[in-house]
Amino acid sequence: MAVSSIHVLAIFSFVLGHCLFLNIEATHHAYRNLQSTVSSSSSNQPYRTGFHFQPSKNWINDPNGPMRYKGLYHLFYQYNPKGAIWGNIVWAHSVSKDLVNWTPLDKAIYPSQPSDINGCWSGSATIFPDGKPAILYTGIDQNNNQVQNLAYPKNASDPYLREWIKIPQNPLMAPASSNGINSSSFRDPTTAWLGKDGHYRVLVGNKRDTTGKALLYRTKDFVHWVKAKHPLYSAKGTGMWECPDFFPVLSKSMFGVDTSFDGPYVRHVLKVSLDDKKHDYYLIGTYDAKKDKFIPDSGFQNLDSFLRYDYGKYYASKTFFDDAKKRRILLGWANESSSVADDLNKGWSGIHAIPRAIWLHKSGKQLVQWPVPEIEKLRAKPISWPIKVLKAGQLLQVTGITAAQADVEVSFEAKGFEKAEVLDYWMDPQVLCSKKGAAVKGELGPFGLLALASKDLKENTAVFFRIFRYQHKPLILFCSDQSRSSLNKNNDLTTYGTFLDVDPSHENLSLRSLIDRSVVESFGGEGKAVITARVYPTLAINDEAQLYVFNYGSANVKITRLNAWSMKKAQIN
Ligand code: DQQ
């Protein structure tokens, strides 16, 4: 079903304009006058997360160089040690045994040589066949050019990888008049993969004019890199490609494979973070190793057909292969939706989404994402409902859990699709979700959850489904409506949405939401679509937050499953 088309250009320009007007941090602007402002760190902190990763204070953005090494997961991330806005960027470092509880270590990579003296930006780790790691990252050099540098551990026998040495040959890849690379559009090297010819390859994000590109470099020794004549892939009109990621997935298997793996059942995924749109897009296709080219499958001709990992706030993501559990893990940054003034006041900005296992759906047409099962050990006080009918117009409270910090799974069975509202012409699902928000009654839906709701319902984040009939078939709209998430209207309250490729006559509509004080991370259709929302309730905080199941459609639906848990606090720095 061609339900994945995205026509966001117009709405995006509107939203971006709107956000800038409100001074919402739509992205990481360089607020130079504020860069060394000491965060005011208000003691009233209802929005700090209980189990989503964040450091104790200050600004964070992209996850960098994730890897598993000597039994520990390593997460590096873009961090401003001096304040709650973007700037002074270093690689902060935390380690974990389970991807849930994290221990902070000293910063790992920070400006120290001419090739990175103005900042250490995003990059990736590669683990060599002898088991030792190396990191390629973007340095901002003494002339403010973007260049690529190499660092390796000072002591590879230290499982904590505390100290990193930068090689004296840095930078290893640099813009020059001979290669025509624009020095402000050349960043974020990927994990390297090894070809059958014994040469490693990496991608570096780039643009020329408005054409986004994944530049390809090859090397024999990881020090001398040669730019290939052609990029691995490029697409007109997509703007700067940040944080590219390129990895193999297996057809008809949930197992992950190493980034260098090649074989009969291998498909490849190319993900790019589009600077112009601030969303992560991916394409599925074939990697032609002989020509070093990526050939997207026929469904992915242009940006309108690219898919997204997450239809809410989620950017600059990166995957790595977890060799212990033979899975590929996806990490991503969920930026704030609050104003810069509010971020400075709370003394921090940015969290990471829950690490997700990622694999190719058996249709081969899209990826599936699911929170790593380790997160389930934080579950406490389980509640479970018997199957029940949720009548038209009904609202039921889910009691017995701490609704501000919870994990909820619910499934709905709907019937009578011939009565569903007819969608005459194709519409951008995000626009459709904002036109038909949770408060707009329908026939089959809206039904779903009201998360982080106040007792009087003045505040709530509604995550829901609505079933349409489009070209004589049921079409599922999956939305996250933030328009009533806070009485404070000085936040980005954009409603998010996507179509979900599920046939409701064969499958119940499932939703799982990880609710964590200022984030509602929702997985629809068993992980076929994900929407992450950042919200700042003023009433629905701490013990005041409530959770409801609702059906504002005029047809009954059946709740075939409802399981919910309070979530214990994780050690997140
Ligand atoms: N963030 C980094 C860049 C990257 C961007 C700078 C993406 O390397 O392109 O903090 O969020």
Side-chain angles (χ1 to χ4, degrees), residues 27-28 59 61-62 78 86 89 120-123 138 187-188 240-243 273 278 315-316 333:
T27 176
H28 40 283
W59 166 275
N61 54 296
D62 321 351
Q78 297 278 282
W86 185 87
I89 293 293
C120 296
W121 288 12
S122 287
T138 298
R187 55 184 182 270
D188 310 337
M240 176 62 191
W241 286 8
E242 298 189 311
C243 303
S273 302
K278 284 286 172 265
Y315 194 64
W333 166 44

Side-chain angles (χ1 to χ4, degrees), residues 253-297:
S253 169
M254 291 166 69
F255 284 110
V257 285
D258 180 81
T259 308
S260 296
F261 186 85
D262 204 359
Y265 296 100
V266 167
R267 313 292 346 268
H268 271 79
V269 175
L270 175 65
K271 183 279 303 188
V272 290
S273 302
L274 294 191
D275 194 19
D276 289 356
K277 296 195 178 291
K278 284 286 172 265
H279 296 309
D280 282 9
Y281 292 83
Y282 72 87
L283 303 86
I284 300 166
T286 306
Y287 169 48
D288 180 337
K290 284 205 186 93
K291 293 192 184 137
D292 257 334
K293 285 205 157 173
F294 174 70
I295 303 123
D297 289 350

